[in-house]
């Protein structure tokens, strides 16, 4: 398993966090076999809550991989915290700056080195009132086109019971039910070798988010709505079939 090659600090982090999560949550894990045990992989997940990284990291670690998340580069400049993030092999990313291209290069390097990079394509917790997925930003699409690495979708439901971003309420009660399901890699072969223009990036991003939306619908039940459009004009109806 890839996590056997972990250094001291990632192992220490896992030893501290996993027992807490084992008590805090009652877990339904499915689809771990879709996460490759070795080699670079891009893991894309829906974003419900600030508790998502704890839940998804627990799932990914149990599946045998060490999850590497994107974190604001400014956090890496905070004394002690930045040192810990570096030692735990998290990835600094510049956001909304001219350094965005350099951040993409950092991600490409991590995937090519065989790491499991976790991306929330929405870029923030869902603003959809019932926490259905929004249309994604193009970062995951850019990384997928640049590396050709498998893109594994991970749908989650339950972290919002730990911390609900709509009410800002944190629950510390034990055994909160959470469900995490990984699916087969998303087929993006249609865009293999394509230049990362705006239309291509939006098509790839929508394909990723529609897969996550439909996987979430299988967990929650019911018919999912169109992808929520982040717009001051409420929504732009984004229809489509999942890949």
């Amino acid at each position: 398993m890839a996590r056997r090659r972990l250094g001291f600090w990632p192992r220490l982090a896992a030893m501290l966090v996993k027992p807490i999560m084992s008590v805090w949550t009652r877990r339904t894990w499915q689809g771990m076999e879709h996460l490759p045990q070795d080699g670079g992989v891009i893991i894309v997940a829906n974003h419900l809550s600030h508790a998502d990284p704890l839940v998804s990291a627990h799932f990914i670690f149990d599946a045998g991989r060490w999850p590497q998340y994107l974190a604001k580069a400014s956090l890496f400049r905070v004394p002690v915290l930045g040192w810990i993030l570096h030692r735990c092999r998290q990835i600094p990313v510049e956001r909304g700056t001219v350094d965005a291209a350099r951040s993409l290069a950092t991600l490409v390097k991590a995937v090519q080195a065989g790491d499991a990079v976790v991306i929330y394509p929405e870029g923030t917790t869902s603003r959809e009132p019932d926490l259905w997925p929004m249309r994604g930003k193009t970062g995951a699409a850019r990384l997928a086109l640049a590396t050709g690495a498998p893109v594994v979708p991970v749908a989650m439901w339950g972290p919002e019971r730990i911390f609900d971003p709509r009410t800002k309420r944190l629950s510390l009660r034990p055994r909160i039910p959470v469900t995490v399901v990984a699916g087969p890699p998303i087929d993006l072969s249609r865009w293999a070798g394509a230049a990362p223009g705006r239309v291509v990036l939006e098509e790839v991003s929508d394909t990723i988010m529609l897969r996550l939306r439909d996987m979430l619908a299988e967990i929650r039940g019911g018919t999912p709505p169109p992808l929520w459009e982040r717009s001051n004009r409420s929504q732009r109806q984004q229809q489509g079939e999942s890949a």
Side-chain angles (χ1 to χ4, degrees):
M1 298 174 74
R3 70 183 186 192
R4 289 176 181 165
R5 297 191 292 272
L6 293 179
F8 171 78
W9 289 103
R11 286 192 178 278
L12 178 61
M15 289 173 59
L16 293 174
V17 174
K18 183 173 177 177
I20 295 172
M21 297 305 296
S22 296
V23 172
W24 203 357
T25 61
R26 185 176 78 248
R27 296 160 305 285
T28 300
W29 292 163
Q30 297 178 17
M32 285 182 173
E33 68 275 10
H34 297 303
L35 287 171
Q37 291 297 292
D38 293 286
V41 59
I42 303 166
I43 299 170
V44 291
N46 62 312
H47 204 355
L48 301 161
S49 163
H50 297 304
D52 290 349
L54 291 172
V55 174
S56 60
H58 192 184
F59 174 84
I60 295 165
F61 184 81
D62 278 1
R65 298 300 300 260
W66 178 251
Q68 292 178 256
Y69 291 86
L70 284 56
K72 293 180 182 179
S74 59
L75 295 176
F76 288 78
R77 295 189 282 271
V78 176
V80 182
L81 175 61
W83 186 86
I84 293 172
L85 289 172
H86 274 299
R87 293 300 183 276
C88 289
R89 296 170 53 197
Q90 301 311 297
I91 302 172
V93 175
E94 300 284 354
R95 296 177 179 175
T97 73
V98 294
D99 291 324
R102 186 171 63 187
S103 295
L104 177 62
T106 299
L107 295 174
V108 169
K109 183 177 179 181
V111 173
Q112 291 177 340
D115 294 334
V117 173
V118 186
I119 296 181
Y120 297 106
E122 294 159 282
T124 186
T125 55
S126 178
R127 300 297 190 257
E128 202 277 338
D130 292 322
L131 299 181
W132 289 100
M134 304 186 295
R135 288 192 77 194
K137 297 184 178 181
T138 59
R142 290 181 186 276
L143 184 59
L145 293 176
T147 62
V151 177
V152 175
V154 171
M156 297 185 291
W157 187 243
E160 77 288 349
R161 297 185 179 114
I162 298 174
F163 180 82
D164 193 323
R166 298 163 297 186
T167 62
K168 311 301 182 186
R169 294 185 62 180
L170 173 68
S171 175
L172 297 178
R173 67 181 179 85
R175 304 282 291 167
I176 295 173
V178 295
T179 299
V180 183
V181 179
I186 300 171
D187 182 7
L188 302 177
S189 59
R190 170 185 169 189
W191 296 281
R198 180 182 62 81
V199 172
V200 167
L201 290 172
E202 289 182 353
E203 288 176 347
V204 174
S205 181
D206 283 349
T207 297
I208 290 171
M209 293 311 304
L210 287 167
R211 171 68 71 82
L212 287 171
R213 180 200 67 177
D214 292 347
M215 289 174 62
L216 183 60
E218 292 182 8
I219 298 172
R220 296 178 58 174
T223 301
L227 293 176
W228 182 266
E229 175 65 47
R230 63 184 84 221
S231 170
N232 292 332
R233 298 186 302 274
S234 180
Q235 292 187 70
R236 187 176 78 193
Q237 296 300 309
Q238 171 64 31
Q239 305 290 346
E241 300 294 331
S242 63

